[in-house]
């Protein structure tokens, strides 16, 4: 799934939307002391009060919110795994019987509880529904409605939420005119911050892909490898942060950790060009060792060859066949995404302006030189030019 596919389905999660039909909701309460199922309950989603529906809809949207490879990850299922979650979820998806679907979802919960001790009570919520996507836009001339023909996709979504201890509060009773200590023992289910979740299957444009699952992490670049491997039975993945680190280490190894700002700006510009050229493609553009070699050469890095880059891949990630996702390794190109942190100043600059910054030595001291094309204003005062090296007041 690309960000457009995810945005399309996420925006459907609202009450009274005829393009999204949630048939059933299934909640499973798990105790932290025993890591066992304490209670589970299912019911038609439409039987919930509207306020409850809205709470859950917001929760489901949060599961599907975040950047790809940072908080959301499209994962491939492992092959030849016993009791494979892909088969469990697919059987649940195909089932017309509510009890059969719940039975399959409980098998997923059992996998979550195996050799796992949670620090708090948690609630696992499953929904199954149908996502309808119009085949074409409304035609004003023929008055043909865009919803006359739709693609229909069945799905299962899971949201995992922790519980919070109830607040201890002091209340004032207007009738009896006295202060009361409010005692509440029921735990609060925190639907505002899911700690994990997933969507099965993945959707690309109007096609469902049962060989992939969309995993949602609690925080950006903070995945749960054990959940991915043992619960979802999916292949391991790299976060955007890890991808960027790998790229940086490979470039450092190839260049001997020596790279001026102009060359680095060229590298980012070349990678950004790759991203923009493939912006409308379904597959995210990737860079293997040959593409990295081409990028470095075209950016002005000297003494680069295939063997050196291939060896760097092997050394850094132990896989010379690994492909880096271009979106992950280039900073946000049109925003001040590069931070330069020094003892005396913190500077934010965009990758496309990096070539205006240079590190120089002056009077035997390292300095940053920033080329500007306009007046420099500090606290409302326009700085006047000084002779290079002249620190006297004017």
């Amino acid at each position: 799934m690309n960000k457009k596919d995810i945005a399309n389905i996420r925006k459907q999660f609202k009450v009274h939307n005829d393009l999204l039909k949630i048939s059933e909701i299934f909640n499973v309460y798990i105790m932290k002391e025993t890591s066992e199922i304490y209670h589970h309950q299912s019911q038609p989603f439409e039987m919930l009060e509207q306020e409850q529906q809205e709470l859950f809809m917001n929760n489901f949207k949060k599961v599907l919110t975040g950047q790809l490879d940072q908080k959301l990850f499209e994962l491939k299922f492992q092959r030849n795994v016993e009791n494979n979650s892909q088969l469990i979820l697919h059987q649940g998806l195909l089932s017309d019987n509510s009890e059969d679907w719940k039975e399959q979802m409980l098998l997923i919960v059992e996998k979550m509880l195996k050799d796992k001790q949670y620090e708090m009570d948690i609630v696992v919520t499953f929904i199954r529904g149908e996502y309808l996507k119009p085949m074409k836009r409304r035609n004003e001339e023929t008055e043909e409605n865009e919803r006359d023909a739709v693609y229909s996709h069945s799905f299962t979504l899971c949201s995992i939420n922790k519980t919070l201890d109830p607040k201890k509060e002091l209340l004032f009773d207007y009738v009896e005119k006295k202060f009361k200590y409010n005692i509440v023992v029921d735990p609060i289910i925190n639907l505002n911050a899911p700690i994990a979740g997933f969507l099965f299957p993945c959707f690309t444009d109007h096609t469902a892909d049962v060989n992939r699952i969309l995993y949602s992490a609690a925080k950006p670049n903070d995945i749960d490898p054990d959940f991915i491997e043992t619960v979802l039975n999916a292949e391991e993945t790299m976060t955007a942060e890890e991808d960027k680190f790998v790229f940086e280490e490979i470039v450092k190894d190839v260049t001997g950790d020596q790279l001026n700002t102009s060359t680095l700006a060229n590298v980012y510009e070349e990678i950004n060009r790759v991203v923009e050229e493939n912006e409308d493609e379904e597959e995210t553009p990737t860079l293997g060792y040959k593409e990295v070699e081409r990028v470095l050469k075209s950016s002005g890095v000297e003494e680069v060859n295939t063997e050196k880059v291939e060896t760097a891949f092997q050394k850094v990630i132990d896989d010379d066949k690994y492909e880096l996702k271009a979106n992950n390794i280039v900073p946000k190109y049109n925003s001040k995404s590069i931070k330069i942190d020094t003892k005396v100043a913190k500077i934010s600059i965009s990758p496309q302006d990096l070539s205006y910054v240079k590190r120089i030595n002056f009077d035997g001291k390292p300095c940053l030189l920033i080329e500007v094309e306009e007046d420099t204003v500090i606290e409302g005062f326009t700085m006047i030019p000084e002779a290079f090296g002249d620190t006297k007041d004017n």
Side-chain angles (χ1 to χ4, degrees):
M1 299 179 75
N2 57 34
K3 61 182 181 181
K4 183 179 179 181
D5 296 320
I6 296 171
N8 281 338
I9 189 170
R10 181 178 61 241
K11 70 181 181 181
Q12 304 305 328
F13 280 89
K14 51 190 175 184
V15 178
H16 305 312
N17 177 19
D18 58 354
L19 290 179
L20 184 75
K21 300 176 181 178
I22 300 176
S23 57
E24 190 167 1
I25 184 169
F26 182 36
N27 290 304
V28 182
Y29 196 98
I30 297 170
M31 300 289 289
K32 65 179 179 180
E33 291 86 356
T34 60
S35 286
E36 294 179 351
I37 296 175
Y38 178 74
H39 176 68
H40 60 76
Q41 176 183 320
S42 70
Q43 64 186 114
F45 190 76
E46 62 183 12
M47 296 300 292
L48 297 177
E49 296 180 0
Q50 181 168 328
E51 289 79 5
Q52 286 182 300
Q53 291 183 13
E54 290 174 349
L55 282 173
F56 278 112
M57 286 294 195
N58 288 330
N59 177 254
F60 303 148
K61 282 195 289 188
K62 289 181 183 295
V63 171
L64 299 174
T65 298
Q67 297 294 319
L68 277 168
D69 297 323
Q70 294 185 25
K71 192 170 178 297
L72 299 175
F73 301 83
E74 186 183 66
L75 307 175
K76 293 181 181 179
F77 285 106
Q78 300 176 38
R79 297 298 182 186
N80 303 319
V81 176
E82 186 178 350
N83 192 29
N84 196 316
S85 291
Q86 179 185 15
L87 180 60
I88 294 172
L89 290 168
H90 198 209
Q91 288 178 336
L93 200 68
L94 297 176
S95 174
D96 293 327
N97 183 279
S98 175
E99 292 302 318
D100 290 344
W101 177 71
K102 288 191 295 181
E103 184 178 337
Q104 300 301 318
M105 297 307 102
L106 286 173
L107 291 177
I108 297 293
V109 175
E110 288 177 10
K111 298 178 75 168
M112 290 175 53
L113 300 180
K114 186 178 180 181
D115 303 322
K116 176 73 174 181
Q117 183 69 47
Y118 288 97
E119 297 178 354
M120 73 294 287
D121 291 0
I122 65 169
V123 174
V124 185
T125 299
F126 297 96
I127 57 170
R128 62 170 175 168
E130 184 180 22
Y131 164 46
L132 304 176
K133 186 175 181 182
M135 290 185 180
K136 52 188 175 182
R137 298 181 181 276
R138 181 188 179 109
N139 189 321
E140 298 292 346
E141 295 180 1
T142 62
E143 296 186 358
E144 182 181 8
N145 195 306
E146 61 176 354
R147 300 184 183 184
D148 288 343
V150 296
Y151 296 105
S152 174
H153 302 299
S154 298
F155 69 89
T156 294
L157 184 141
C158 171
S159 176
I160 304 173
N161 303 277
K162 64 182 180 180
T163 59
L164 304 174
D165 293 331
K167 293 181 179 180
K168 299 177 181 179
E169 298 174 320
L170 187 66
L171 305 179
F172 180 73
D173 190 322
Y174 278 101
V175 177
E176 297 183 12
K177 296 183 178 179
K178 65 179 182 179
F179 295 96
K180 290 183 177 181
Y181 179 63
N182 185 36
I183 302 176
V184 180
V185 296
D186 296 332
I188 300 170
I189 302 170
N190 184 14
L191 294 177
N192 290 321
I195 60 174
F198 62 80
L199 172 72
F200 174 84
C202 284
F203 302 104
T204 301
D205 195 10
H206 57 269
T207 305
D209 185 354
V210 297
N211 294 313
R212 296 172 186 261
I213 188 169
L214 187 70
Y215 162 69
S216 174
K219 300 176 182 178
N221 296 301
D222 186 19
I223 61 176
D224 184 345
D226 184 64
F227 186 89
I228 290 173
E229 181 180 358
T230 62
V231 177
L232 300 181
N233 299 137
E235 296 179 358
E236 63 180 341
T237 188
M238 295 272 282
T239 66
E241 191 176 68
E242 291 170 331
D243 242 6
K244 189 172 185 296
F245 174 79
V246 167
F247 174 73
E248 290 170 353
E249 291 300 305
I250 288 172
V251 173
K252 287 178 183 179
D253 189 83
V254 172
T255 63
D257 204 8
Q258 299 293 318
L259 208 62
N260 61 44
T261 52
S262 296
T263 304
L264 183 57
N266 292 338
V267 170
Y268 287 147
E269 182 180 2
E270 183 64 23
I271 297 174
N272 185 67
R273 185 184 62 78
V274 173
V275 172
E276 289 182 341
E277 288 179 351
N278 294 271
E279 194 169 11
D280 296 327
E281 299 295 327
E282 293 179 359
E283 293 293 330
T284 302
T286 57
L287 303 175
Y289 70 87
K290 289 184 179 180
E291 287 77 20
V292 170
E293 178 193 1
R294 181 191 60 77
V295 166
L296 295 180
K297 281 184 175 180
S298 62
S299 301
V301 179
E302 299 178 351
E303 298 181 6
V304 177
N305 56 57
T306 303
E307 182 181 357
K308 184 179 282 190
V309 179
E310 188 176 6
T311 301
F313 266 76
Q314 191 65 40
K315 184 187 297 185
V316 174
I317 200 171
D318 195 26
D319 183 3
D320 57 9
K321 301 295 189 294
Y322 184 76
E323 294 186 334
L324 300 152
K325 292 183 179 179
N327 303 62
N328 294 344
I329 61 181
V330 61
K332 292 182 179 179
Y333 204 69
N334 296 316
S335 64
K336 299 184 185 300
S337 55
I338 295 178
K339 311 299 180 184
I340 303 174
D341 195 354
T342 70
K343 184 178 179 180
V344 297
K346 294 182 178 180
I347 303 168
S348 298
I349 194 167
S350 67
Q352 61 185 347
D353 293 330
L354 190 58
S355 58
Y356 293 106
V357 180
K358 291 178 174 58
R359 183 185 186 277
I360 64 170
N361 287 321
F362 177 70
D363 284 346
K365 297 179 180 179
C367 300
L368 278 182
L369 177 65
I370 303 177
E371 179 186 342
V372 295
E373 297 179 346
E374 66 283 332
D375 289 337
T376 303
V377 180
I378 301 178
E379 294 293 330
F381 295 96
T382 301
M383 296 294 97
I384 61 175
E386 298 179 24
F388 191 63
D390 183 7
T391 58
K392 295 179 180 179
D393 294 334
N394 288 275

